[in-house]
Every structure is written in C-alpha cells, then in structure tokens.
Amino acid sequence: MSASGNMPWYHGPIPRLECERLLSENGQDGAYLVRSSETIKGAYVLSVMFQRKIVHYRIVPDESSMLYLQANRQSGVRSFSNLSDLVSHYQSGKHGLCSQLVNPIEPPRDDLDADEDSDDECDDGDVEESVTEGSSSKNNSMVATFLTHSLDSAPTEGTNQDFKDKVGDYLRFGAIKDVEEIQYDGSLVHLNLLLKGSYSELQRQVRAVKSQTNLLQAVFDKASGSKELCDGGAAKKQVSFDSKSLPDKLRDLAGSIESLEKTAAMVYRDLAVHVLGARGVQSRTASISVAARHVSRPPALLPKEGAKDSKKVMDEYTFDVAVDGGLQTSKRVFKIIMAESRLLIFKPADEHSSQVYEHHQVKQLIKSRSKERKLGIIFDGQGRRDYLFETLSARERFCQIIQLVKKKNQRQDDGENKVTLFIGTFNMGDSPPPPELDSWFLSQGWGATLSDSENEPHDIYAIGIQESGWNDKDVVVRVKNILKRLHGMDFEKIAFKELWFMKVVVLVKPEHRNRISHVQTDSVKTGIGNTLGNKGAMGISFTFDTTSLCFINCHLTSGVEKLNRRNQNYHDILRGLANLKQGQQIRTFDLTHQFHHLFWFGDLNYRIDMTGPRIVELAKSSEFVELLLEDQLQKEQKSGRAFVGFHEHDIKFPPTYRFKKNTRTLDDYVWIKQKSGGRTRINVPSYCDRVLWKSYPGTRIECLAYGCTNNVMTSDHSPVFAVFSLSNVATYIPAATSTLAQKAEIKFDSCQCDIQTNSRTQFYLEFYSDCFEGVHRSLNNSLWSDSVSGNTVRPAWNASELPKAISPVISDSKYLEMQHILVSVKSSTSDESYAECCLSLGNFINTPPVPYVCPLTHQGQAVGNMEIKCHVDIPGMEKANKTSADYADVVGDFIYTELDSMSLPKLPPQPVSPIPGVASHLPINGSANKSKPPVIQARRSLENRSTSFTESYSEGPPLPMKTRNTVGSPVPVPRTPPLPTKPKLLAPPKPAPRNSPTSVQDLLTMNGMEDYSYSLVDNGYDDLRFIHETTEEELADIGVDSQQDREKLLRIFQDYHNTSHQ
C-alpha cells in the first residue's frame, strides 16, 4: 500500500523484516516509518533507527479512539486524534523516544505491477498487466477528496467542532484503510474506532440507567410475588410508566449505527471497485469465533481421591452438572456405569428417580465454543438438552468415558487408523479438457506413479484448477462423475471455492462425512495491486477426526524474471488466507504453523534458469537432478525466502510446461512466443506445476506417488498428481484401566535463539499447546548480544526465566508423544512476534535435558533458529509404543463442536474429536529433500526402522549451525551455540514466584474466572503489568454483565499487582 501525500512515512501492512531492511539501507539516526501492526487491528508500529539499531514502538487507540505510544503509557504522554498529529509531535523533539523523528522513509515505488504478466496466457490473445507509477497514491487521494466533499455538504447541527475535526481526519487518513481492508475481511476497523470514542459516554449513562432499572425491577418483582398481595383478593391494578421514549431512542440509535455501518460498507466496496480497480469485491463473513478455538483433550481416567473401592470407582463415574436453561439452572448428577453401558441422570440425593439411558440412546455430544463448560446432549427421541459442567476438564472427561462406552460396544474392529489422499493440479489453459481424465485421477503417466493394483479409491481428493476450461457449476459434478465411473462410489463434497478462473474442491468417501469438522474456506487476490483475481489463491481447511488439514490452490505471477514477485505472492497469500486459521489464541502464527498437514499446490510458475535447448536436452536424458539445480523454487527454499520448511517428493518427470497443445512428447516443447508488435517472448520449459507439503514435526506422512500425465494434451501444461498416506488420524483414547497416580511435568532448562533483526529490544517467549491450559509466558531475557554479522541478536533464557513446570491435562505418555508446542518469540517493547517454531513433545519424554535445535520462521521466511533444553517427566512410567488399538474410529461419528457464530457451508452437523491428531514427515525411500536439515538423535535407532520411510524431527532449509547427514546415518546432536565471550548484560528481571501466573489467562484460571479469559485477551487486556488499571466500566464494555463478577475480577487484578510488587 502506498501512503497518501499527507503521510509519506506510512507503509501500511508491510512485514517487519521489510521495514528493517528499508531503515537499515538508510542508516541515519532518526530515520523512521509507520506501519500497521501485525498482531492488533487498528494499531500501528512506529519504527525508528538509532545508533545502527531499530526500535519499534506500538501505537494503540485508547477507549476514546485516541492514539498513544503504548511504551509511554505510564509516563503521561499525551494522546492524539490521528497519526499525523502523533508523528508531528515526535518530530518536534524526542519526548521519551530513542531519537527525534528526522528522516521519513517513504514506501518504495512498486514497479512490479507495471511488468507484463501474460506469458502463460492463452496463445490466442495476450492480457497485459500494467499500471502507471503512483496510481495507488492517486487513488487514495481520490477517495479522500470524494468523501471530504460529501462531508462539506452534510448537515452538522448538534455536533461539536471536536467531532467534526475527528471525522475530517478519518476521511483523509482512516477511510482509505477501511476501503482496502473491507476487500479482505469486511471490517471497518477505523470507522468503528471513531464511533466507539463518540458513544463511550453514552455507554456509561446506559449502564447507570440499567442498574437503576434493575433495582426498581427487583423491588416490584418481590412485591408482586408476596403472599399478602396475592391473598388479599384485590385485583392487581395495571400501572403504566411512560418509559417508551428512552427505549425507543436507544432502538433508533442502534438502528442508525447499524444503517451507518451498512451504508459505509456499501460505499467502500464501490470505491474499491471503481477507484482502486478491484474486481468482484465481496464482503467475507468472518468465520472465526470470538472465543479462541479450543481443541478438546482426553483426560486420564483416574479414580477419585479417597475412594474406598477403587474397582467400583473405575466402573462408575459421577459428574455434578447444572441444566443450562438460560437465566435459570438446576443441578443434576451424571452417573456412568461402565459394566452396564448406561448413563443415569438424577437430581442430587435422589438417585432412585434416575432417568436411565442405554449407550445407543446417547446420539450426539455437542461442545459449545462460547461456553467451554457447556455440553449439549441429544438423546434418542428426546431432542437436545444443554448442561454446564463444573470445569472444562470435567466436561472432557465425561466425553472420553462416553466414547469408551461406545468403543466397548462397537461391533466392528478398529481400522488401520490411516487414510490416503489424492492431490491434483491442472492449468487448463482456458481450454476444455478431454472428457476422460482417467490417467490424472489414477496417478499414471511420468514420474512416481501407481499401478492398477494400487489404485483403490482414496479417502480424500483435493483438486485444484487454474485457467479453468470448465464452467463454474460443472467442476464438482465433473469430478464426482469421474470418481464414480472409476471407483463406483458417490464421493461427498466437503467444500468448493473459486476465484475468477481458479477452482478448488475437496471430496471424501461417503463413510467419512461424519469425521469432518471445522470446515473453512477463503481466497485472496494477488493480481495487479492485489485487487485482480487472475492470480491468487484459495484454500479449504478442516479437521479429519483429530488431524487438521489445509489445502491451498494457487496461481502465482508468471515470467522467468519475476522471481521476487512470486515470492511476494507467497507471503501475501499467507497473510490473506486468514479465515483458514484455527483460532484466536494462535493467530500470532501464520498458516504454516496452524495445521498438522498443509498442502500447497497449483501453478506456482517458478522457472528453470537455463536456456530452452539445454532444458530439453537434459529432460530427454532424464537428468532431472541437474535440471532442479537451477529450479527457482528449490533455490528460493534453500535461501529461506519462500516456502520455508515445505517438502516435495523427488521429481522424476520432465517439466510440465510449456508443451505445444495437442502434442505431448519431449520434442514438442515450444518456448519462443511471438507477441503483438513484433515482440518475442521466451518461456523456457519449467516445473511450474507443483505439490508441496509442510507438517508438524513428529507427525507421520508418506508420499506414495508424484508425477504428471503424458496423454492429456489440451493445455500447454500437463496435469500433476500426488498421493499421500497419513497415519494416526483417529482419536487417541487412554485405556480404561489407566490409573496414573502422579502428574507429568513439562520442564524447560534453557533456551537460546539466533534471530535476524536490527531491532533493539528484549524478548520473551510464549508457549501454546492443546495439551495444557492457557498461554505460558517467560520473563524477558536477561542476556543478549549482537552476533558477528551485526544483523542477528542472540537472546538467551535460563531456567529461572522460563515457565516453571507445566502440568499437561493428560499424563499419559502415548498421548503426550502426539502433542506439539508452538513457541513465539516476542518483543518486550512492541509485543510483536519476531519468530515462531513448533516443538514435538515426543522428542522430550523421559529423557535427560538435551539441546534440541529447530528453525525459526516469521511470516513464511527463515529468520534464525532456536536451541532449547526441555524434558517431560512422567514419574514411574516408561515410554510405550502406540498401536492401532489406542485409537477409536467411532468417536468421529459422535462428538461435535458447536460452531457458534461461524460461517460454514451448508453441511450436516460436523463432528470434532477430542484431541489434536498426530502424524510425522515420512517421505518414501529416496524422497528426502537434500536441503533438509539434520534431525536430532531419536530415542529409537533410525537403523532399526523400515527403510521405506524416514521420520523427521525438524524442518526447513539448512541452518548455519547444523551439518548435513544422509538418511539412515548416525545423527549428531547439534551443539549449543556458544554465548558471546563478553556479552552485554541487562539487569535481570525479578524471578517470578514458583506459583505465580505468567499470563492473564493463568491469573484467571487460578482464581476460577477462566470463562472471561478470551473476552479480556481479545479486547487487549492481555498484559499482567497493566491489568490492575482495568476499571469496572471497561469490564462491562467487554461483556462482563455480572456486577459480582466485575468486582471479583477487580479484586483479583489488584491483589496480583500488590503481591507482585512486594
């Protein structure tokens, strides 16, 4: 995004790494720019160069939508109505900053859009992509001028001058941002900030009136129900109060605000089309719930403490619940009798009047996302009833025991706990394909193919098409018809998404329909100015039992010389497909850390840096390895600039582009193209069409086939296919006899990171996982120093600064082996994430603390590596091997998550199994990417494993501190990178007490108020340092309706503040 002339220093949503590059190139003290925050909507970051280092300051709006520097909140620094005033203030002096703002850095001119982008279009005509320089700034000015002109003629009676000034500032600066953002998520962030400031006083008045009305209501409710009045025999006189005016006015105001937002959205969409040049801009309904996604977990089936008859306890389980009836609740007791496979429900102390349900009468469990303790149960013939458990753990335990009962009474044997999936990508070249595409769907042609005997129907099919020659309505029907003809089976559509002439569809076997949940779709445009959909991507994500999957079909910028533009497309897609993400709590992490398995396929358009004749010569002699040495995609992966950590099966087929249509031999490549005006365009044969994947470390995935067809000739591209096998996709259930007497503990001994940055800041770590409650946070690092190169910092943490022992919700070794921890390295000054990684707990169970090195990435780029010492103690237990008996297929048909406020395709109720699934990078023999980094020493010898696959414990391109090794050879444990000989010591923070909370979520959970965690964090109340400043009015604003709860929260916050400062 280019800034308007009034804000030459504003760069919009550029990545932090690009920001640091621009400032470092300038190098002058006081050089600065402002960009949008990566983590908080409506917030910004001021980045300043000082003494060859960069300091980032977060700019956030307060409750009145005034802007201030968050780092200076405690020093009484003034607030500002807009960014221009804020920047002007710091241009006049330091005012607490590291340097006065002197030299604004303007956004570089984007001349990439001016290049033609038509080399892979239809031969019959060329579509030229071009824009004039500075058109973005001109468009921004047109938007501001148009809206400001409308303001001049608008009625202003009853509004004060201060509000008029704020409206003018918004129309000049904030409106263009809303116009741009509405194309992606339909939000009007800056308009809502303006409105929030204008009616904050009204909210306080309404709360006061509400309290007064509640008081009067309680008085008359009590009086109307008194015995004296009821028995007096006198007819109750109807009293009418003239209170219509206030409610009517509030309703009118609410209607006006709603109408305003709808009208503004309509105007902004029109502006996006007519001024910014967008095509088919649509408002995309947010599909992420306000509450963070919670993946349920199976509890260990422990006997109750103090039980006299442990055998009886293990056969019977009781739970205290309340009937959730809105305003009124009544208590109930659930009792599960394992031996009889029955559920009893009765009032406390009245078991003789129990309602008895056989296992088959419990038809459905529906987990609420808005209330973590809430569970809906559908009984056969009785509909749904909702209950509230005492704790989240109790709800999960109940679900797990019900599943055990179901499994016990399941007649058929458990399956193999393995599924296969087919991925196909085809650039049709705007031409209808032949009616039969059997070779594509049967994985036959060139490369690693499947034989006829191996061609059983796969469990999942994901098909991506670019430059489609099929009509929109035909895609799903045609694919289903092909599969039915080949396999005699009617496959079920999970989701379909299109963007201009790109399509993606996912289908599954009909018996798997009830194993699918959390279906999401999204698309993003990366054509001219990121507004045209001729290039871009669309994605579909969902959960298969407990394994999260994501499929992205893309069409990137073409042209051998447009390498940087393709890389930028990749990063734009990672940011743009935000609706595919799994939940609010882990939105810090990009898509590459959100799923157990992410598949990225399509016409990636990366080329081979060779001459056409040389490419054909090598292709004819099957010298594919030499061809791939000059493959742009693999070179960009090794450099860490794009597709970091993605894997690809060995390519053993010729380039899939550019064939002469209606031919398909290696003599039929055509790479010289005559264009209009007598120009000549060279498009060398290349591997444009690819299938890549990225999986969590320790998961299990095997690529069975990867190739292209040799008989589909209607396009200049050949269709590409890939087949995968995924293991451990079903739900893991601890054995019913599991009686763990002691709790496991996850312990961190030390951590050190190498991070590419020129920022001057301290860092802290945040740990996220589905195997423990809340977010655990470290203290700020006490030691860091610059590396030799000067653009890398090395923060380190000792054991006292890392989170204390974390107790997972389940202390079962086989369960913990399947879990992962996401780690974010954040700045202590701006709270922005600088790097992220994923750890597999399977590497640390019952082992001494050993250094484990994993790559760090940020927004899809390699930014360094982390070395961490961690171990998981499970007292009295040895590590055990998992078997298929540890998994149950029945639960996928049974447990659902209630998708509150989520926008989903029209499907039957979707199930979710209770724990995140597991899997491991397992390419077939010979498929290990040679650029893959070494893995740490596994506890079971690699030499004793099957040679048909390898297991990966790390990911990404080679890192400086590692050495390569071949699969099957002894794997050395990487040494700890040495600390600097004379490090710069910072004053170490005061160690936290052993039982002190490390986050707001922890504080609330420790005090039994965890139901308000997500409301507080989502609204910015996420910092323990300032939580005591929260007011009762602010709590009411974010939805804490109970005055008793508000008062309790305030006491908790103040007590924590007093204790932590003793």
Side-chain angles (χ1 to χ4, degrees), residues 902-952:
M902 296 183 71
S903 175
L904 291 175
K906 293 182 179 179
L907 296 173
Q910 299 297 327
V912 61
S913 301
I915 63 171
V918 210
S920 107
H921 294 304
L922 300 177
I924 64 173
N925 187 31
S927 67
N929 193 321
K930 295 187 183 302
S931 67
K932 188 172 160 184
V935 298
I936 76 162
Q937 179 67 55
R939 289 179 303 280
R940 297 184 299 274
S941 171
L942 290 172
E943 297 174 344
N944 295 330
R945 300 184 185 179
S946 168
T947 58
S948 63
F949 58 85
T950 60
E951 187 166 0
S952 170

Side-chain angles (χ1 to χ4, degrees), residues 444-483:
Q444 295 177 345
W446 288 319
T449 62
L450 296 182
S451 64
D452 291 337
S453 61
E454 296 172 312
N455 259 306
E456 295 295 326
H458 303 297
D459 298 281
I460 303 171
Y461 285 83
I463 308 299
I465 299 172
Q466 310 84 40
E467 298 183 26
S468 175
W470 281 338
N471 294 330
D472 296 347
K473 297 180 180 179
D474 290 347
V475 175
V476 177
V477 174
R478 287 178 181 267
V479 172
K480 292 180 71 173
N481 287 343
I482 292 172
L483 293 176

